[in-house]
Amino acid sequence: MHVLRDARLQKGRPPPVNAQSRADSTVLGRRGFLGLGALAGSSLLLAACGGGSGSVSSAGKDGGTLRWGWSTVTSWDPVTSSAGWDVHALSLVYAGLTKLDEKGNPVPALAESWKYNAKGDQVTFVLRPGLTFSDGTPVNATAVRKNIERGLTFPGSLVAAQLATVEAVAADDDARTVTLGLSSVDYQVPSLLAGKTGMIVSPAAFEKDAKGLATRPVGAGPFRLTEYVPNQSAKLVRFPGYWDKANIQIGNFELYPLPEAATAIASLQSGRLDVAQIPGSQVSAAKAAGLEVQVIPSLVTTVLDVNVTKKPFDNPLVVEAFKYALDRAALAKAQTFGLGVVNYQPFPPGYVGHDPSLDNAFPYDPDKAKKLLAEAGYANGLELPLTATGASSALAEQVQAQLAKVSVKVTIDTIPASQATQIVYIQHAKAFSVDGFAGRDSAVQAFQVLFGEQGLMNPGRRTPPELNAALQKVRQTPLEDPSYPTVLKAATRIAVERMPNIFLYTQPRVLARKKNVSPLGSYLAVQRFDGVRVS
């Protein structure tokens, strides 16, 4: 047995980071402020990445090829991946101890089961027997222990903060049982480990060449990377050692950047792509072209960030006025072509944390907004900038027009997407910003990003004590406890009523596909391809 004692104090641990990595933060539309950064260096072609468990032979020919127009990645290493959007691609090559089902609940993956101790400060995972990584090395408790330790201590780790409550990791001698000792009661761990934080990498790969994982992933997911040209394409083959291989029908998978809206349908018609995300404006044209369209609910919510340490938002009445001044239904209709849903809270309808009683929390009421502004000392109106990137300019202009109706003169401050992370999330230099929240695997993790004192989307860095207390209660409530939805919704209500974030509408995942591709699964968090066939 090997145990890591108080891993947070181990030598080499990077300084604490925010509730999520500085760049692993938000999505606006599909990328948000961040975009998907280019990997350094010239294009790199990799053949037979991931080692030698099988060739591209029969596995690649039997199930056809699916070409997905989606995005490339900032890094194939889940510990250093710097964009939340990367999780969709990383899930092709990696598996976690758990995964999220279509409703966002954790279910078994590499671990066939887990169990907490009576106190709730220790959780034991039992791994499935006989699994291997794509390089042929075993997926066992030692491998899991090394991954958790690496997430905690690897220099530059962007998942360390998510593992902050882990203070001991024990890999038992039977090679299938791994136990996490926690510094406090935390029943969110199974959800947390369903995402990048819990993706298990072959220790043989990162012990030999940790930096190489950025372009040469070695996991135990449904596919194995065989060829990669950064920012251009990734080609993968079905991995026969995947724990749920019976549900993976696609033989070869090709990943490409999202095509421009004007060319997306042509790319599908020509056969260059089989599945692609399209904007709502293209749905009718896609259907007219004979393509199938799926509108899949997601965790992505468009939001305006507010810094309460800067005027005029240091006055709570101004924040409240802005919440009533925005016609969310008009915004959702225009920006999502009617596919988005007005949302006053961080979780979409259908998610366990969504509180239906908040569905009309701040109804559009410009007269009330004006009255609140007058009470705040701005009876004659006010002026302020709204920060946006090019991708969010259309929404910024519509917000500008709506706020003008309550005597708020907005100037649009357009900044380069490449600088937005530094300016908005690190420097907290802006008072009012267009943003988007991509959701998180764990509900508490989502609260930390949005509302925590170090939260990326909480530029004012203030959290009311009652919200912290509510979140502590969420952590201390088992996910399967009948009271869990009620406890989580109580925290949601406090956040919506007390925090300055202005939530606007949900952003569904709109995917067009050729008719020879079977329907895709409707997963809130990560798009998966279990059961999908290409005829």
Short mmCIF file of all heavy atoms in Angstrom, two decimals, residues 97-142:
data_model
loop_
_atom_site.label_atom_id
_atom_site.label_comp_id
_atom_site.label_asym_id
_atom_site.label_seq_id
_atom_site.Cartn_x
_atom_site.Cartn_y
_atom_site.Cartn_z
N LEU A 97 -12.70 7.66 -13.44
CA LEU A 97 -13.25 6.68 -12.51
C LEU A 97 -14.76 6.64 -12.64
O LEU A 97 -15.39 5.58 -12.50
CB LEU A 97 -12.85 7.02 -11.08
CG LEU A 97 -11.36 6.95 -10.75
CD1 LEU A 97 -11.11 7.38 -9.32
CD2 LEU A 97 -10.82 5.55 -10.99
N THR A 98 -15.36 7.79 -12.91
CA THR A 98 -16.80 7.90 -13.11
C THR A 98 -17.05 8.64 -14.41
O THR A 98 -16.14 9.16 -15.03
CB THR A 98 -17.46 8.65 -11.95
OG1 THR A 98 -16.95 10.00 -11.93
CG2 THR A 98 -17.17 7.98 -10.61
N LYS A 99 -18.30 8.72 -14.81
CA LYS A 99 -18.72 9.60 -15.89
C LYS A 99 -20.10 10.12 -15.53
O LYS A 99 -20.75 9.62 -14.59
CB LYS A 99 -18.75 8.87 -17.23
CG LYS A 99 -19.81 7.80 -17.36
CD LYS A 99 -19.84 7.24 -18.77
CE LYS A 99 -20.99 6.24 -18.95
NZ LYS A 99 -21.08 5.74 -20.34
N LEU A 100 -20.56 11.14 -16.23
CA LEU A 100 -21.88 11.70 -15.98
C LEU A 100 -22.88 11.14 -16.97
O LEU A 100 -22.59 11.03 -18.17
CB LEU A 100 -21.85 13.23 -16.08
CG LEU A 100 -20.94 13.97 -15.10
CD1 LEU A 100 -21.12 15.48 -15.27
CD2 LEU A 100 -21.20 13.57 -13.66
N ASP A 101 -24.06 10.77 -16.48
CA ASP A 101 -25.09 10.28 -17.37
C ASP A 101 -25.77 11.46 -18.06
O ASP A 101 -25.34 12.61 -17.93
CB ASP A 101 -26.10 9.40 -16.63
CG ASP A 101 -26.89 10.16 -15.56
OD1 ASP A 101 -26.86 11.42 -15.55
OD2 ASP A 101 -27.54 9.49 -14.74
N GLU A 102 -26.83 11.20 -18.78
CA GLU A 102 -27.46 12.26 -19.57
C GLU A 102 -28.05 13.37 -18.72
O GLU A 102 -28.26 14.48 -19.19
CB GLU A 102 -28.53 11.66 -20.49
CG GLU A 102 -27.93 10.76 -21.58
CD GLU A 102 -28.94 10.34 -22.62
OE1 GLU A 102 -30.16 10.48 -22.36
OE2 GLU A 102 -28.53 9.86 -23.69
N LYS A 103 -28.32 13.11 -17.46
CA LYS A 103 -28.86 14.12 -16.56
C LYS A 103 -27.79 14.80 -15.73
O LYS A 103 -28.09 15.68 -14.93
CB LYS A 103 -29.91 13.49 -15.63
CG LYS A 103 -31.16 13.03 -16.34
CD LYS A 103 -31.93 14.19 -16.96
CE LYS A 103 -33.23 13.74 -17.58
NZ LYS A 103 -33.99 14.86 -18.20
N GLY A 104 -26.54 14.37 -15.89
CA GLY A 104 -25.46 14.98 -15.14
C GLY A 104 -25.15 14.30 -13.82
O GLY A 104 -24.44 14.86 -12.98
N ASN A 105 -25.65 13.08 -13.62
CA ASN A 105 -25.38 12.33 -12.39
C ASN A 105 -24.19 11.40 -12.59
O ASN A 105 -24.04 10.79 -13.64
CB ASN A 105 -26.60 11.51 -12.00
CG ASN A 105 -27.84 12.36 -11.81
OD1 ASN A 105 -27.80 13.34 -11.07
ND2 ASN A 105 -28.92 12.02 -12.48
N PRO A 106 -23.31 11.24 -11.58
CA PRO A 106 -22.16 10.34 -11.73
C PRO A 106 -22.59 8.88 -11.73
O PRO A 106 -23.42 8.46 -10.92
CB PRO A 106 -21.31 10.67 -10.50
CG PRO A 106 -22.28 11.17 -9.48
CD PRO A 106 -23.34 11.91 -10.26
N VAL A 107 -22.01 8.13 -12.66
CA VAL A 107 -22.25 6.69 -12.76
C VAL A 107 -20.90 6.01 -12.96
O VAL A 107 -19.91 6.64 -13.31
CB VAL A 107 -23.21 6.37 -13.93
CG1 VAL A 107 -24.59 6.93 -13.68
CG2 VAL A 107 -22.66 6.89 -15.26
N PRO A 108 -20.82 4.69 -12.74
CA PRO A 108 -19.53 3.99 -12.86
C PRO A 108 -18.90 4.10 -14.24
O PRO A 108 -19.60 4.15 -15.26
CB PRO A 108 -19.90 2.54 -12.53
CG PRO A 108 -21.11 2.64 -11.66
CD PRO A 108 -21.87 3.81 -12.21
N ALA A 109 -17.58 4.13 -14.27
CA ALA A 109 -16.81 4.09 -15.51
C ALA A 109 -15.63 3.13 -15.28
O ALA A 109 -15.85 1.93 -15.18
CB ALA A 109 -16.36 5.48 -15.92
N LEU A 110 -14.40 3.64 -15.13
CA LEU A 110 -13.29 2.74 -14.81
C LEU A 110 -13.51 2.08 -13.46
O LEU A 110 -13.09 0.95 -13.23
CB LEU A 110 -11.96 3.52 -14.80
CG LEU A 110 -11.47 4.05 -16.15
CD1 LEU A 110 -10.16 4.80 -15.96
CD2 LEU A 110 -11.30 2.93 -17.17
N ALA A 111 -14.14 2.79 -12.56
CA ALA A 111 -14.52 2.21 -11.27
C ALA A 111 -15.91 1.61 -11.39
O ALA A 111 -16.84 2.27 -11.86
CB ALA A 111 -14.51 3.27 -10.18
N GLU A 112 -16.05 0.35 -11.00
CA GLU A 112 -17.36 -0.30 -11.08
C GLU A 112 -18.25 0.08 -9.91
O GLU A 112 -19.47 -0.09 -9.97
CB GLU A 112 -17.19 -1.82 -11.15
CG GLU A 112 -16.55 -2.44 -9.93
CD GLU A 112 -16.34 -3.94 -10.10
OE1 GLU A 112 -16.51 -4.43 -11.24
OE2 GLU A 112 -16.01 -4.61 -9.10
N SER A 113 -17.64 0.63 -8.84
CA SER A 113 -18.43 1.05 -7.68
C SER A 113 -17.58 1.95 -6.80
O SER A 113 -16.36 2.03 -6.95
CB SER A 113 -18.90 -0.17 -6.88
OG SER A 113 -17.79 -0.84 -6.30
N TRP A 114 -18.24 2.63 -5.88
CA TRP A 114 -17.55 3.41 -4.86
C TRP A 114 -18.40 3.46 -3.61
O TRP A 114 -19.62 3.25 -3.65
CB TRP A 114 -17.22 4.82 -5.35
CG TRP A 114 -18.42 5.67 -5.70
CD1 TRP A 114 -19.17 6.44 -4.87
CD2 TRP A 114 -18.99 5.82 -7.01
NE1 TRP A 114 -20.18 7.07 -5.58
CE2 TRP A 114 -20.09 6.70 -6.88
CE3 TRP A 114 -18.67 5.30 -8.27
CZ2 TRP A 114 -20.87 7.07 -7.97
CZ3 TRP A 114 -19.46 5.67 -9.34
CH2 TRP A 114 -20.54 6.54 -9.19
N LYS A 115 -17.75 3.73 -2.49
CA LYS A 115 -18.46 3.76 -1.22
C LYS A 115 -17.75 4.69 -0.26
O LYS A 115 -16.52 4.68 -0.15
CB LYS A 115 -18.53 2.35 -0.62
CG LYS A 115 -19.35 2.26 0.67
CD LYS A 115 -19.42 0.83 1.18
CE LYS A 115 -20.26 0.74 2.46
NZ LYS A 115 -20.35 -0.66 2.96
N TYR A 116 -18.54 5.51 0.43
CA TYR A 116 -18.01 6.40 1.46
C TYR A 116 -18.01 5.70 2.81
O TYR A 116 -18.81 4.77 3.05
CB TYR A 116 -18.87 7.66 1.56
CG TYR A 116 -18.50 8.75 0.58
CD1 TYR A 116 -19.03 8.74 -0.70
CD2 TYR A 116 -17.63 9.77 0.93
CE1 TYR A 116 -18.71 9.75 -1.61
CE2 TYR A 116 -17.30 10.78 0.04
CZ TYR A 116 -17.84 10.76 -1.23
OH TYR A 116 -17.51 11.75 -2.13
N ASN A 117 -17.13 6.14 3.70
CA ASN A 117 -17.20 5.66 5.08
C ASN A 117 -18.36 6.36 5.78
O ASN A 117 -19.02 7.24 5.22
CB ASN A 117 -15.87 5.89 5.81
CG ASN A 117 -15.53 7.37 5.96
OD1 ASN A 117 -16.23 8.25 5.44
ND2 ASN A 117 -14.46 7.66 6.68
N ALA A 118 -18.63 5.97 7.00
CA ALA A 118 -19.79 6.49 7.71
C ALA A 118 -19.71 8.00 7.93
O ALA A 118 -20.72 8.70 7.90
CB ALA A 118 -19.93 5.78 9.06
N LYS A 119 -18.51 8.51 8.10
CA LYS A 119 -18.34 9.94 8.38
C LYS A 119 -18.43 10.78 7.12
O LYS A 119 -18.78 11.97 7.18
CB LYS A 119 -16.99 10.16 9.07
CG LYS A 119 -16.77 11.59 9.55
CD LYS A 119 -15.45 11.70 10.30
CE LYS A 119 -15.21 13.14 10.75
NZ LYS A 119 -13.91 13.28 11.46
N GLY A 120 -18.08 10.20 5.97
CA GLY A 120 -18.13 10.94 4.72
C GLY A 120 -16.84 11.63 4.35
O GLY A 120 -16.80 12.44 3.42
N ASP A 121 -15.74 11.31 5.07
CA ASP A 121 -14.46 11.94 4.76
C ASP A 121 -13.48 10.94 4.13
O ASP A 121 -12.27 11.19 4.10
CB ASP A 121 -13.84 12.56 6.01
CG ASP A 121 -13.54 11.55 7.10
OD1 ASP A 121 -13.88 10.36 6.94
OD2 ASP A 121 -12.98 11.96 8.14
N GLN A 122 -14.00 9.86 3.60
CA GLN A 122 -13.17 8.87 2.92
C GLN A 122 -14.04 8.13 1.91
O GLN A 122 -15.14 7.70 2.22
CB GLN A 122 -12.59 7.87 3.93
CG GLN A 122 -11.68 6.81 3.33
CD GLN A 122 -11.07 5.94 4.40
OE1 GLN A 122 -10.25 6.39 5.19
NE2 GLN A 122 -11.48 4.68 4.45
N VAL A 123 -13.54 8.01 0.68
CA VAL A 123 -14.30 7.32 -0.36
C VAL A 123 -13.39 6.29 -1.03
O VAL A 123 -12.24 6.58 -1.37
CB VAL A 123 -14.88 8.31 -1.39
CG1 VAL A 123 -13.79 9.17 -2.02
CG2 VAL A 123 -15.67 7.57 -2.46
N THR A 124 -13.91 5.08 -1.18
CA THR A 124 -13.15 3.98 -1.77
C THR A 124 -13.76 3.59 -3.10
O THR A 124 -14.96 3.33 -3.21
CB THR A 124 -13.15 2.76 -0.83
OG1 THR A 124 -12.51 3.13 0.40
CG2 THR A 124 -12.41 1.60 -1.46
N PHE A 125 -12.91 3.54 -4.13
CA PHE A 125 -13.33 3.14 -5.47
C PHE A 125 -12.81 1.74 -5.77
O PHE A 125 -11.65 1.43 -5.48
CB PHE A 125 -12.78 4.11 -6.52
CG PHE A 125 -13.36 5.49 -6.44
CD1 PHE A 125 -12.79 6.46 -5.62
CD2 PHE A 125 -14.48 5.84 -7.18
CE1 PHE A 125 -13.32 7.73 -5.54
CE2 PHE A 125 -15.02 7.12 -7.10
CZ PHE A 125 -14.44 8.06 -6.28
N VAL A 126 -13.65 0.91 -6.35
CA VAL A 126 -13.25 -0.43 -6.78
C VAL A 126 -13.21 -0.43 -8.29
O VAL A 126 -14.22 -0.21 -8.97
CB VAL A 126 -14.23 -1.51 -6.27
CG1 VAL A 126 -13.79 -2.88 -6.77
CG2 VAL A 126 -14.30 -1.49 -4.75
N LEU A 127 -12.02 -0.70 -8.85
CA LEU A 127 -11.83 -0.64 -10.29
C LEU A 127 -12.33 -1.91 -10.96
O LEU A 127 -12.36 -2.99 -10.37
CB LEU A 127 -10.35 -0.44 -10.62
CG LEU A 127 -9.67 0.78 -10.01
CD1 LEU A 127 -8.19 0.80 -10.38
CD2 LEU A 127 -10.35 2.06 -10.47
N ARG A 128 -12.68 -1.78 -12.23
CA ARG A 128 -13.05 -2.96 -13.01
C ARG A 128 -11.79 -3.80 -13.23
O ARG A 128 -10.69 -3.27 -13.41
CB ARG A 128 -13.63 -2.54 -14.36
CG ARG A 128 -14.91 -1.71 -14.23
CD ARG A 128 -15.43 -1.28 -15.59
NE ARG A 128 -16.51 -0.32 -15.46
CZ ARG A 128 -17.79 -0.66 -15.29
NH1 ARG A 128 -18.13 -1.94 -15.26
NH2 ARG A 128 -18.72 0.27 -15.17
N PRO A 129 -11.92 -5.11 -13.26
CA PRO A 129 -10.73 -5.97 -13.42
C PRO A 129 -10.27 -6.07 -14.87
O PRO A 129 -11.06 -5.94 -15.80
CB PRO A 129 -11.24 -7.34 -12.92
CG PRO A 129 -12.71 -7.32 -13.24
CD PRO A 129 -13.15 -5.90 -13.02
N GLY A 130 -8.96 -6.27 -15.03
CA GLY A 130 -8.40 -6.63 -16.33
C GLY A 130 -8.29 -5.52 -17.34
O GLY A 130 -8.08 -5.79 -18.53
N LEU A 131 -8.40 -4.26 -16.95
CA LEU A 131 -8.34 -3.16 -17.91
C LEU A 131 -6.89 -2.74 -18.17
O LEU A 131 -6.03 -2.89 -17.32
CB LEU A 131 -9.13 -1.96 -17.41
CG LEU A 131 -10.63 -2.15 -17.18
CD1 LEU A 131 -11.26 -0.85 -16.70
CD2 LEU A 131 -11.31 -2.65 -18.44
N THR A 132 -6.66 -2.21 -19.37
CA THR A 132 -5.34 -1.69 -19.73
C THR A 132 -5.49 -0.33 -20.40
O THR A 132 -6.55 0.01 -20.91
CB THR A 132 -4.58 -2.63 -20.68
OG1 THR A 132 -5.27 -2.67 -21.94
CG2 THR A 132 -4.45 -4.02 -20.10
N PHE A 133 -4.38 0.42 -20.39
CA PHE A 133 -4.30 1.64 -21.18
C PHE A 133 -3.99 1.26 -22.62
O PHE A 133 -3.68 0.10 -22.92
CB PHE A 133 -3.21 2.56 -20.63
CG PHE A 133 -3.49 3.10 -19.27
CD1 PHE A 133 -2.89 2.55 -18.14
CD2 PHE A 133 -4.36 4.16 -19.10
CE1 PHE A 133 -3.15 3.05 -16.88
CE2 PHE A 133 -4.63 4.67 -17.83
CZ PHE A 133 -4.02 4.12 -16.71
N SER A 134 -4.05 2.23 -23.51
CA SER A 134 -3.79 1.94 -24.92
C SER A 134 -2.34 1.56 -25.19
O SER A 134 -2.02 1.06 -26.26
CB SER A 134 -4.18 3.14 -25.79
OG SER A 134 -3.42 4.29 -25.45
N ASP A 135 -1.43 1.77 -24.21
CA ASP A 135 -0.05 1.33 -24.37
C ASP A 135 0.17 -0.07 -23.79
O ASP A 135 1.30 -0.57 -23.74
CB ASP A 135 0.93 2.32 -23.73
CG ASP A 135 0.70 2.49 -22.22
OD1 ASP A 135 -0.19 1.81 -21.67
OD2 ASP A 135 1.40 3.32 -21.61
N GLY A 136 -0.90 -0.71 -23.33
CA GLY A 136 -0.82 -2.07 -22.82
C GLY A 136 -0.55 -2.18 -21.34
O GLY A 136 -0.60 -3.28 -20.79
N THR A 137 -0.25 -1.08 -20.65
CA THR A 137 0.02 -1.14 -19.21
C THR A 137 -1.30 -1.21 -18.45
O THR A 137 -2.34 -0.77 -18.94
CB THR A 137 0.83 0.09 -18.75
OG1 THR A 137 0.09 1.28 -19.07
CG2 THR A 137 2.17 0.13 -19.46
N PRO A 138 -1.29 -1.77 -17.24
CA PRO A 138 -2.55 -2.02 -16.52
C PRO A 138 -3.18 -0.77 -15.92
O PRO A 138 -2.49 0.13 -15.44
CB PRO A 138 -2.14 -3.00 -15.42
CG PRO A 138 -0.69 -2.71 -15.18
CD PRO A 138 -0.13 -2.36 -16.53
N VAL A 139 -4.51 -0.73 -15.97
CA VAL A 139 -5.27 0.28 -15.24
C VAL A 139 -5.58 -0.32 -13.88
O VAL A 139 -6.47 -1.13 -13.72
CB VAL A 139 -6.59 0.62 -15.97
CG1 VAL A 139 -7.39 1.63 -15.15
CG2 VAL A 139 -6.31 1.17 -17.36
N ASN A 140 -4.78 0.08 -12.88
CA ASN A 140 -4.96 -0.48 -11.54
C ASN A 140 -4.93 0.64 -10.51
O ASN A 140 -4.83 1.82 -10.84
CB ASN A 140 -3.88 -1.54 -11.25
CG ASN A 140 -2.47 -0.99 -11.45
OD1 ASN A 140 -2.22 0.20 -11.34
ND2 ASN A 140 -1.53 -1.88 -11.74
N ALA A 141 -5.03 0.25 -9.25
CA ALA A 141 -5.10 1.24 -8.19
C ALA A 141 -3.83 2.10 -8.13
O ALA A 141 -3.89 3.29 -7.83
CB ALA A 141 -5.33 0.55 -6.84
N THR A 142 -2.69 1.50 -8.41
CA THR A 142 -1.44 2.26 -8.41
C THR A 142 -1.47 3.35 -9.48
O THR A 142 -1.03 4.48 -9.24
CB THR A 142 -0.25 1.33 -8.63
OG1 THR A 142 -0.19 0.38 -7.57
CG2 THR A 142 1.05 2.11 -8.68
#
